[in-house]
Amino acid sequence: MPVYKELLEQFKLVFSRRNPIFDSVIPPLLFMLTNALYGLTPALWVAFGSSLLFTLLRLIRRQRFGNALLGAGATALAVGLVLLLKSAQAFFLPSLVNGALTVLVLLLSLAIKRPAVAFTSYLTRRWPLQWYWHERVRPAYSEVTAIWAVYSAIKLAFQYYFYRNALTNALAIFNLVSGWPALIVLLVVSYLYGLKRLRRLGGPSVDEFKNDAPPPWQGQQRGF
């Protein structure tokens, strides 16, 4: 199967049940635009209203609304911080805190040899969790987790710079670009590198692990 078709299948598997893009991107974008055109108070109402609208649409369409609900909660928190601190840039403070926690979790998962990327793969694919901890499988997930940690740390550094210097519009645009567009690129790199690394490690595939097949193993050929 051509690589691009394989990647397309993987993206469908990862994103088919989440519908995450509009729920998390549109409210901050509307906040930035409305704040620039009409001021802070209308921007707060528009951002919070749009997040509630997405949640309502998910309910009406009987879709999964967890991400939309979380988005509405995050937007409500951001609005509260803006009102409390009386600063437009405070709207993006939750994303800054979330970025710091993400870096911490990624580094901690590497320290205890339970790479976070392995857990995200497990939640999506439901492969045996013990397969990820195999000595000839785990290194691939550790290295990809390290890539995510570096990316997240660089992203956090830029966010902090924009936030500290009150560059609200620049922060909003950066969050937009470094969000789902960058995430898609990161997922492609993670998948291609991770699968190549699994093959080089020579560990068992998921099916070989399930069947307790003895070495030498054919190894994982699809999916990461």
Side-chain angles (χ1 to χ4, degrees):
M1 175 181 291
V3 174
Y4 75 91
K5 287 187 176 180
E6 188 175 342
L7 285 170
L8 208 59
E9 283 190 4
Q10 301 306 316
F11 279 125
K12 287 180 180 178
L13 177 63
V14 171
F15 290 114
S16 59
R17 296 181 180 179
R18 297 187 180 181
N19 299 308
I21 297 179
F22 293 110
D23 299 342
S24 59
V25 169
I26 296 300
L29 184 60
L30 289 176
F31 173 82
M32 179 191 70
L33 294 174
T34 308
N35 183 52
L37 294 173
Y38 303 105
L40 184 58
T41 301
L44 294 176
W45 282 106
V46 168
F48 186 58
S50 64
S51 65
L52 289 179
L53 179 61
F54 280 120
T55 304
L56 182 61
L57 287 174
R58 297 280 181 254
L59 287 170
I60 292 174
R61 295 176 180 177
R62 296 184 179 179
Q63 298 173 335
R64 291 176 178 266
F65 59 91
N67 285 291
L69 195 59
L70 287 174
T75 303
L77 175 61
V79 169
L81 288 171
V82 170
L83 296 174
L84 179 65
L85 300 177
K86 301 184 185 307
S87 170
Q89 71 191 69
F91 185 87
F92 299 98
L93 188 57
S95 68
L96 200 67
V97 174
N98 181 65
L101 290 175
T102 298
V103 173
L104 182 63
V105 168
L106 290 170
L107 293 177
L108 181 62
S109 74
L110 289 173
I112 64 175
K113 296 184 178 181
R114 290 295 182 266
V117 171
F119 284 107
T120 59
S121 175
Y122 167 74
L123 291 173
T124 303
R125 303 177 185 281
R126 295 299 178 181
W127 290 337
L129 191 58
Q130 289 304 314
W131 174 78
Y132 294 96
W133 314 143
H134 192 282
E135 61 181 4
R136 296 174 74 175
V137 172
R138 179 173 48 81
Y141 286 91
S142 294
E143 291 167 21
V144 172
T145 299
I147 292 173
W148 280 73
V150 170
Y151 164 77
S152 299
I154 293 173
K155 178 180 176 179
L156 178 62
F158 275 100
Q159 287 177 316
Y160 179 72
Y161 172 80
F162 292 134
Y163 182 85
R164 185 175 182 181
N165 291 280
L167 301 172
T168 307
N169 288 344
L171 179 56
I173 294 171
F174 178 77
N175 282 349
L176 181 63
V177 174
S178 64
W180 291 105
L183 181 60
I184 290 173
V185 174
L186 193 59
L187 286 172
V188 171
V189 171
S190 299
Y191 182 81
L192 295 177
Y193 176 84
L195 196 56
K196 184 177 181 179
R197 191 73 177 95
L198 281 178
R199 291 167 180 167
R200 287 186 176 180
L201 286 167
S205 66
V206 173
D207 289 337
E208 288 170 328
F209 181 82
K210 287 179 179 179
N211 297 324
D212 201 21
W217 297 294
Q218 183 181 2
Q220 191 72 7
Q221 300 301 310
R222 289 187 59 197
F224 179 72

